[in-house]
Amino acid sequence: MIEKLYSLKKIQSDQKMMFRAEIMNSIDLYNEQIEELKKSITTASVDRFGAISDFKVLEIHKNTLKMNVRKLESQRSVLLVKLKKLNAEIVELQKQKEQYAYILDEQKKEAFKKILKEEEEASSEFVQSKYIVG
């Protein structure tokens, strides 16, 4: 039973670790997109002798880019919250897994001690029977 619980916790923690990696990759993608948009905002321009309407269009474009940056930052912050929660779950699963591993180890030690004791009893009975017969 303990072995099944141990393997279950191990599988669960492995799945959480994979999910964590996916979230971290998504966060990295958001960071890259945010940096690209910020760069686009600072480098966007119009012709030097363009019409006044060009400046209005440029301002609308920059505002749209800023809105996209805010949107991506909010999505990134949601993922960061999920990541923090997931890290806490992973730590808890690893603690449980270590507890079950310790119990399994103790059970193995007890079983080994029991086998040694049985072998010792069997060998002492053999020696005693040899002296009785001999």
Side-chain angles (χ1 to χ4, degrees), residues 2 99-113:
I2 298 294
Q99 289 173 345
Y100 291 129
Y102 177 77
I103 292 170
L104 278 174
D105 190 42
E106 290 298 314
Q107 286 178 345
K108 288 178 184 177
K109 287 178 184 177
E110 289 296 321
F112 185 69
K113 286 179 184 177

Side-chain angles (χ1 to χ4, degrees), residues 39-85:
K39 185 178 179 183
S40 294
I41 290 171
T42 58
T43 59
S45 65
V46 293
D47 292 335
R48 185 171 185 173
F49 299 106
I52 300 282
S53 65
D54 287 346
F55 291 105
K56 288 181 182 179
V57 171
L58 176 64
E59 193 61 32
I60 291 170
H61 176 66
K62 285 185 175 184
N63 287 338
T64 304
L65 291 176
K66 289 176 185 176
M67 185 180 68
N68 286 337
V69 167
R70 286 191 297 272
K71 180 180 161 187
L72 289 173
E73 285 174 341
S74 69
Q75 290 173 345
R76 181 184 63 184
S77 66
V78 167
L79 285 178
L80 287 171
V81 169
K82 282 184 182 180
L83 182 65
K84 187 175 181 179
K85 182 181 174 186

